[in-house]
């Protein structure tokens, strides 16, 4: 059971399902040779994939190519189902920093066969996740810098202003499919610059004033 706090408040949440967007930044979709989708492309990670700041990502033995993807994470604070974009922000309790660890070789093999991606995306340690800052402390979730460095060298340097689908639309779209509950998390996609990490590397991720992660790889 993974608990995350909302910084500066007495609110804490048990992490539930983690719903993720693929290809939500045009430049990243392009770098992987994917089309930019009209509707959000969704997949999920289990709560058991979450680790915290300072914890270690462990690359499974069945992969030779593990990629980082820094992403803005949304924390759902109250249950919503079929919520409108206008009302969606009422249900966002906070914002955090996540890294969507992805076994790119495994994902590509599964995609080529038309098979589901879960073992490439939801393995143990595949979701480093920070604590959350209260939503009220973030004036505009679409004006945040997203940075990821490997061994101190910048690899991703993007901005949430480049998101294709915006936070209210994302919450509304997902809540029409999956009832969202307190403690659920949404990962909003990654900007360009994704790449490989190897055992022994250390990733640092930072999103605007929201927070940061320092995550070694083994
Ligand atoms: Zn991702």
């Amino acid at each position: 059971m993974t608990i995350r706090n909302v910084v500066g408040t007495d609110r804490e949440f048990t992490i539930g399902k983690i719903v993720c967007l693929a290809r939500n930044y045009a430049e990243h979709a392009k770098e992987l040779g994917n089309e930019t989708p009209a509707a959000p492309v969704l997949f999920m990670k289990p709560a058991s994939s979450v680790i915290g700041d300072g914890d270690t990502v462990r690359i499974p033995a069945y992969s030779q190519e593990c990629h980082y993807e820094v992403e803005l994470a949304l924390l759902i604070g109250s249950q919503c189902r079929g919520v409108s974009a206008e009302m969606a922000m009422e249900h966002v309790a906070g914002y955090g920093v996540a890294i969507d660890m992805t076994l790119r070789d495994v994902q590509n093999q599964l995609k080529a066969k038309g098979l589901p991606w879960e073992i490439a995306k939801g393995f143990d340690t595949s979701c480093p996740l920070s604590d959350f800052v209260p939503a009220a402390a973030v004036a505009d979730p679409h004006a945040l810098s997203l940075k990821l460095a490997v061994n101190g060298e910048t690899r991703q340097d993007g901005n949430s202003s480049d998101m294709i689908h915006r936070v209210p639309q994302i919450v509304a779209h997902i809540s029409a499919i999956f009832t969202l509950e307190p403690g659920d998390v949404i990962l909003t996609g990654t900007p360009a610059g994704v790449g490989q990490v190897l055992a022994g590397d250390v990733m640092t991720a930072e999103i605007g004033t929201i927070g940061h992660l320092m995550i070694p790889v083994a």
Side-chain angles (χ1 to χ4, degrees), residues 20-22 28 43 69 71 100 102 121 189-190:
C20 311
L21 272 79
H28 169 62
F43 63 91
E69 301 186 351
E71 310 205 2
D100 168 18
T102 302
K121 288 283 200 179
T190 195

Side-chain angles (χ1 to χ4, degrees), residues 56-59 66 151 196-202 216-218:
T56 299
V57 165
R58 296 188 184 281
I59 303 172
C66 183
N151 305 328
Q196 189 173 8
V197 280
L198 301 170
D201 287 342
V202 176
V217 181

Side-chain angles (χ1 to χ4, degrees), residues 110-123:
L110 293 166
K111 273 164 71 176
K113 293 179 188 164
L115 294 171
W117 303 341
E118 274 79 358
I119 66 167
K121 288 283 200 179
F123 59 93

Side-chain angles (χ1 to χ4, degrees), residues 80-92 167-176:
C80 60
R81 176 185 298 133
V83 72
S84 65
E86 290 68 32
M87 295 300 292
M89 299 308 278
E90 306 281 315
H91 301 280
V92 177
V167 173
Q169 286 75 28
I170 291 168
V171 174
H173 179 82
I174 293 173
S175 81

